[in-house]
Each structure stands twice: as C-alpha cells, then as structure tokens.
Amino acid sequence: MQTLPLKNILIVESFNDSAFIRLLLKDLELFPETDTEVIDLHKFPDPDNSDKILRGKTAIGGKLKSFKGDWLTREKYREVQRLGIILDFDKESLEQNLERVNQAIRGAFGEQPKLATENEFVKIVVAEGGVNIELSAACFFTKDSSGNGNLDTLLYEIRQHPESLVPYADCLKNWQTCVNESDSKLKVSQDLFSKMWVSNFLRAKDRDQPKNQRVSGDFEAKQHELIENFGSEMFDLKHAFLTSLRTFLSSFKSA
C-alpha cells in the first residue's frame, strides 16, 4: 500500500486514549489508510529541560513545543495541515480546559487566535527561520454522559451488552457501595471506580481470547493492545455518547 503524506496530527493523553482513538478512526474508515498520526502524552522529555519527563494533560504545552520543532524541520511533518488535541474533560470547566490548550498553543507557537469552544478550528501561522507554514487546530475534551469525566468513565458507559455481567469487573460496584456507605474516611469516587472497572473488565476480556492472542507481559502497561485489537467487540462504537467525538474525528478526513 502506498504511504500517504502525513496531513493530520492528533495528540491524546495516554496509550489507552491512543488505542481507542485509533479504533474509532478505523470504524470511521479513517485508519489505517488515513494520513493521520496519533501521538500520546505518555512520558517524553521536556523540550525545555531534557532531565525532566512530562506526561498527561499537563504536558500538552511541552508536546506542542516538540511538535513545532518537528513541523519546522522534519520533512515528514512538512505537509501537516490539521492538528487535533484530545484531552480528558475531568472535573474542570470548559473554560478551564480551553485555557489550558490556548496557553499551550501560545507557549509553542506565539500569539495565535484563541480556541473559543470544542470542534472549532483556528488558523495557526508560524514564520521562522525563513519558513512560513500554517495549519488548522481544534480541540476536543473526552467526557461521559454527565458532561465531564474521562476515557475510563466513558468506556464504562459504552460497553457492549451491559446486561451480560462480567463479575471480575462488575462486582466492584458492590465494593464501591459498601465503602461509600460505611464510616470509612476513604470513599470511592466514580473516577476511581471507572478506572478500576476498565482495568478489570479488560483483564477479564483478555482471558476470553485464545491463549496466543492474549496480552503478554505487564498487562497494565499493555492493556491498550486489547482495546485496539478487540475494542469493537467490547465497546459500542456507535453509542450516542460518542456522537460528538466521532464528529470531531470526521473533520480530519481528507477530501
């Protein structure tokens, strides 16, 4: 298959986010034939301090600085036209999340038009070292039915066949209820519950796979492989809660 010029960059938080976005791109028939690269924010050197390792959504500024260097100097990235930033909504407001992204864009590219909402592109223009380049940038914040949350809380809500219980994961609900109704000073938040549920759910599903297709080695570090390879069997990729994310990803389809 002929390699297509790289046109789109999508920056996500973790390996699991990257695997799930790849899964959706494939379902949208935008991957692997697409000209889009998905980059995660998991452990990379700080471009301002090589002794420091960055990770997670707070590292978006460092990653954009790193990408700017690639964009200006590496032939592979010279034809990139669109940049998408996908971070967890978490419990911050939309305004706080947007400001995080806008600050990161300013820090990497200098003063640029501000992103005023999700799924709305702005033009970034850079003239440096005799090179004049521009691209369109937009952001999206992963959320569940509550309007906030993260990938884990979303995956918990979009599982395939929720009526078919997976005890290794679903019995955690009894534990959450027991703890939260007790006198314990430690409570189990929905974020913590969903994170543990997803990990246990994936581990149980991994055991359902033929032995030669199971995740090998450190499961926590490699569970993203299960999402990418078997996610369509475990999660409803057409779920209504994914409509806005699918719309965002569709905007990166080449004409």
Side-chain angles (χ1 to χ4, degrees):
M1 183 177 64
Q2 183 179 3
T3 302
L4 298 172
L6 189 61
K7 298 288 187 180
N8 307 303
I9 295 291
L10 291 173
I11 298 177
V12 302
E13 286 196 40
S14 69
F15 289 158
N16 282 3
D17 290 278
S18 179
F20 188 67
I21 292 301
R22 289 175 184 273
L23 188 66
L24 285 178
L25 290 172
K26 185 176 181 180
D27 189 66
L28 288 162
E29 299 183 347
L30 298 175
F31 191 82
E33 291 76 20
T34 187
D35 42 13
T36 299
E37 180 176 320
V38 183
I39 301 173
D40 64 74
L41 293 172
H42 184 72
K43 291 185 179 180
F44 64 95
D46 186 339
D48 297 325
N49 181 358
S50 59
D51 294 329
K52 184 179 179 181
I53 299 299
L54 302 176
R55 61 183 296 172
K57 72 189 292 185
T58 59
I60 184 60
K63 178 58 73 176
L64 289 185
K65 287 181 181 179
S66 177
F67 166 67
K68 177 191 173 184
D70 290 335
W71 189 36
L72 288 169
T73 62
R74 295 181 60 186
E75 188 66 29
K76 173 184 176 182
Y77 294 98
R78 188 55 56 83
E79 295 188 50
V80 169
Q81 298 173 349
R82 283 165 294 197
L83 169 67
I85 299 169
I86 303 174
L87 304 176
D88 287 338
F89 198 101
D90 292 326
K91 294 182 178 179
E92 298 176 289
S93 67
L94 177 60
E95 291 72 20
Q96 289 172 315
N97 280 304
L98 286 168
E99 181 55 23
R100 182 191 300 278
V101 175
N102 283 318
Q103 283 183 354
I105 289 175
R106 284 196 303 274
F109 303 109
E111 285 300 324
Q112 303 290 338
K114 284 188 176 183
L115 293 166
T117 188
E118 297 176 280
N119 201 15
E120 181 178 279
F121 285 88
V122 298
K123 187 75 70 177
I124 292 177
V125 180
V126 175
E128 190 170 308
V131 178
N132 296 295
I133 49 180
E134 63 180 49
L135 81 165
S136 297
C139 64
F140 182 87
F141 302 108
T142 303
K143 58 190 78 67
D144 55 38
S145 61
S146 71
N148 52 39
N150 51 53
L151 179 67
D152 290 328
T153 60
L154 176 62
L155 292 180
Y156 174 68
E157 294 185 330
I158 65 167
R159 65 188 286 186
Q160 292 272 27
H161 311 298
E163 72 283 355
S164 299
L165 296 181
V166 177
Y168 193 70
D170 290 312
C171 285
L172 287 171
K173 195 65 179 177
N174 295 333
W175 167 72
Q176 181 190 34
T177 300
C178 178
V179 171
N180 288 351
E181 291 182 353
S182 73
D183 294 331
S184 172
K185 294 181 180 179
L186 293 173
K187 301 300 181 182
V188 183
S189 67
Q190 187 60 32
D191 284 354
L192 175 59
F193 166 77
S194 297
K195 184 177 181 64
M196 295 179 68
W197 182 91
V198 168
S199 180
N200 283 25
F201 180 75
L202 292 175
R203 192 178 292 274
K205 291 296 183 179
D206 186 50
R207 297 295 296 180
D208 292 339
Q209 306 305 324
K211 193 170 184 179
N212 64 345
Q213 296 183 39
R214 293 176 188 169
V215 174
S216 60
D218 184 351
F219 183 82
E220 291 302 318
K222 294 186 176 182
Q223 59 182 293
H224 62 279
E225 296 176 4
L226 194 68
I227 294 175
E228 190 160 357
N229 294 331
F230 302 103
S232 60
E233 301 171 16
M234 298 183 289
F235 303 108
D236 181 2
L237 303 184
K238 304 293 195 301
H239 200 288
F241 294 166
L242 292 176
T243 299
S244 56
L245 177 54
R246 289 173 66 92
T247 297
F248 178 74
L249 294 177
S250 294
S251 66
F252 289 84
K253 185 173 183 178
S254 297

